[in-house]
Amino acid sequence: MHPDESSRLLRLERQVAYLYRHFGLDPQLADAFPGAASMPPEFTEALRQQNLIAAIKIYRQVTGAGLAEAKTAVERIARSV
């Protein structure tokens, strides 16, 4: 990799990290499931607090998923972060 490309990549990584912090998002969520970008910061906070009931409620509101599907998805997400 060319030195200019390397410094550019580092700068972009810092900018992305800043945006995650600014919007209250958890960067691990982005890797946990494809729809992470559409989840509000409250979802991330509920997961941090291990409040799966609140996370399931938010997940259902955002995705329109049924209770069983949302419960399974949120539990899978919680295990991966």
Side-chain angles (χ1 to χ4, degrees):
M1 182 178 292
H2 192 272
D4 289 339
E5 291 173 349
S6 176
S7 64
R8 183 172 182 254
L9 180 60
L10 288 173
R11 191 173 64 249
L12 289 171
E13 287 175 344
R14 282 194 307 269
Q15 289 173 346
V16 169
Y18 169 80
L19 290 171
Y20 271 110
R21 285 190 310 274
H22 178 75
F23 289 108
L25 301 173
D26 187 342
Q28 291 179 340
L29 279 181
D31 297 330
F33 72 107
S38 64
M39 289 295 154
E42 294 83 11
F43 180 77
T44 303
E45 188 57 33
L47 287 177
R48 274 193 202 124
Q49 295 176 2
Q50 297 179 351
N51 186 348
L52 294 184
I53 293 172
I56 290 168
K57 181 179 177 183
I58 295 166
Y59 186 91
R60 290 186 72 199
Q61 290 171 343
V62 172
T63 65
L67 181 58
E69 179 185 354
K71 180 179 181 292
T72 301
V74 169
E75 288 173 344
R76 180 179 40 79
I77 293 164
R79 282 192 304 270
S80 66
V81 292

